[in-house]
Amino acid sequence: MWLLGFFLHEMAFGLLSIFVPLYVTSSVVGGSLVDVGLMVSLATFATIPFSYFSGYACDKTGRYKPFILLSFSVLSILLYLFSSTANVMVLTVIYALIAVFHVAHETPKNVLIAEWHSREEWEKSFASYEMLTELGVLIGLVLGFVTSLYGFSGYVILLLCSALNVIAFVSSIVFVVDPPLILERGLAGMERTLSYAQRGITMMLKNPEGQAMTERLKSENATAYFVGLTLFSLASATFFTPIPVFFSQKLGLASSVVFAIFVLNAAGGCSGYYYVRRKAQTQPSGEKHTVMNIALARSLLAFSLIMPIVYLSTLTTGLAVVMLVLMGFAYSVFLIGTLSISMEVLPQGKAGLFNVLIGVGGAVGCLIGPLIANTYGFLYVFVVASAIFLLSFLAFRIFARD
């Protein structure tokens, strides 16, 4: 039941993810793709220090629930304020504050899941959480489809998002509980260190006479992992920030149809979380190679979306939708893998670094994606995103080598 608030919160943000770029570029506001890029990029940059601070503060105090309550309560107020203006500059400031308080609950949530479950259950537990919240995103997108189909105003849609966060706040007061002891991440880190030492001792025992060893003991290249994570976030933001406008303006689809497409994308995400959850019950985790393969798959999927631009037709539009669904599935598998790895790699007090790295890549991607689309066209967006995904794959490949 403690996840109910997060479910409702993600319903609101699932709706907002498509509503905001369509709203800013609509006749009501009169903004451009560059305005969307600047808005989302500045908002993401604003989240970077706050992501680190919230991770440090919640670990320092051993309290996680207050940050979650702060997030949901302030968001309900900010979303109401967002509905009160159509000025692009004012919307940008409010949206930046929305993004800041949106990330306030991310690290505390990740830590709660890690601390309430053993290391063996992390992959399954993260997958269960993400599957539930992705279902919330899907329902939010369905709400966006219905409200746009029946011509609801932006004011009503934003009030709905605000109300969902109010209910999320109330439910979190009742159901979210801090763990009595903070142990699991420390134990996982110790186990990781002991495993490395054990491999070294085993190699020495195999070579008691001090002869030249043909086997090398390698420590994990955490830097390569951090670079891969940042590049993956950069490529994702470059690709996805302008994509609603691509379907709306380039392919000429109605807003309700755009929402319907992203409902399918969210459904792909739900199926990905379900797949990881089932797999975690029967197979040992292999997160390193999984995230590496997903980065490569996303590179190929992003590149394949060039076809709907070159050959505008119903068939290629359908292909674009299929690719988007596959991207949703791939991201779900990737996210669970990186969350599990990060809870081991990052020490206590540094858990917010995961969101910082994603924020850095996302902030830059949110800016360059719309800028490239507005200046050179969507074809170059997909080519650039594909290339960055490929670089991410290479970084994860370095990390995956034992």
Side-chain angles (χ1 to χ4, degrees), residues 154-377:
Y155 177 78
V156 172
I157 292 173
L158 288 165
L159 283 184
L160 174 61
C161 294
S162 177
L164 287 170
N165 276 278
V166 170
I167 303 172
F169 169 73
V170 173
S171 66
S172 296
I173 291 176
V174 178
F175 296 116
V176 175
V177 178
D178 286 332
L181 295 172
I182 309 299
L183 294 173
E184 288 299 327
R185 288 176 298 152
L187 292 174
M190 290 173 59
E191 182 180 345
R192 202 178 187 91
T193 303
L194 290 172
S195 175
Y196 177 72
Q198 182 185 27
R199 283 188 290 148
I201 293 170
T202 302
M203 289 171 58
M204 292 175 63
L205 292 175
K206 288 180 180 178
N207 186 33
E209 298 181 2
Q211 299 174 358
M213 292 189 294
T214 58
E215 183 181 4
R216 290 189 301 162
L217 180 64
K218 293 184 179 180
S219 60
E220 290 174 327
N221 191 334
T223 301
Y225 171 71
F226 297 147
V227 170
L229 188 62
T230 305
L231 287 173
F232 190 93
S233 175
L234 169 61
S236 297
T238 300
F239 178 87
F240 274 98
T241 303
I243 202 73
V245 180
F246 166 73
F247 282 109
S248 175
Q249 296 183 2
K250 182 67 177 179
L251 300 186
L253 303 178
S255 297
S256 58
V257 178
V258 176
F259 272 106
I261 290 172
F262 279 89
V263 167
L264 296 176
N265 173 254
C270 286
S271 62
Y273 294 127
Y274 179 76
Y275 164 77
V276 175
R277 188 175 183 277
R278 290 294 301 271
K279 178 176 173 289
Q281 294 175 334
T282 57
Q283 300 180 30
S285 60
E287 295 100 338
K288 293 181 186 177
H289 290 86
T290 297
V291 298
M292 177 183 74
N293 294 332
I294 291 299
L296 179 60
R298 272 215 164 188
S299 175
L300 298 174
L301 289 170
F303 191 78
S304 69
L305 279 173
I306 293 173
M307 289 186 64
I309 297 176
V310 179
Y311 305 103
L312 283 174
S313 69
T314 303
L315 178 62
T316 52
T317 300
L319 175 64
V321 174
V322 171
M323 294 301 101
L324 212 61
V325 173
L326 292 175
M327 278 195 148
F329 179 91
Y331 181 74
S332 300
V333 180
F334 174 86
L335 180 61
I336 301 307
T338 52
L339 278 171
S340 298
I341 292 171
S342 296
M343 288 296 106
E344 287 186 3
V345 173
L346 299 174
Q348 290 190 26
K350 306 290 186 180
L353 186 59
F354 177 79
N355 295 103
V356 169
L357 294 171
I358 290 177
V360 169
V364 177
C366 289
L367 179 62
I368 68 173
L371 189 61
I372 293 172
N374 194 70
T375 307
Y376 301 104

Side-chain angles (χ1 to χ4, degrees), residues 28-75:
V28 176
V29 178
S32 66
L33 260 175
V34 175
D35 292 322
V36 174
L38 285 171
M39 176 182 291
V40 180
S41 179
L42 290 172
T44 309
F45 270 120
T47 67
I48 293 171
F50 203 84
S51 293
Y52 187 84
F53 169 76
S54 64
Y56 173 80
C58 67
D59 267 336
K60 189 73 173 178
T61 61
R63 300 288 303 280
Y64 304 92
K65 180 175 179 176
F67 293 90
I68 295 168
L69 297 179
L70 176 69
S71 174
F72 295 160
S73 60
V74 176
L75 282 172

Side-chain angles (χ1 to χ4, degrees), residues 123-141:
E123 193 173 6
K124 177 184 174 183
S125 301
F126 279 121
S128 297
Y129 167 83
E130 297 294 345
M131 184 172 68
L132 179 66
T133 52
E134 188 69 14
L135 181 61
V137 170
L138 190 153
I139 294 174
L141 290 167

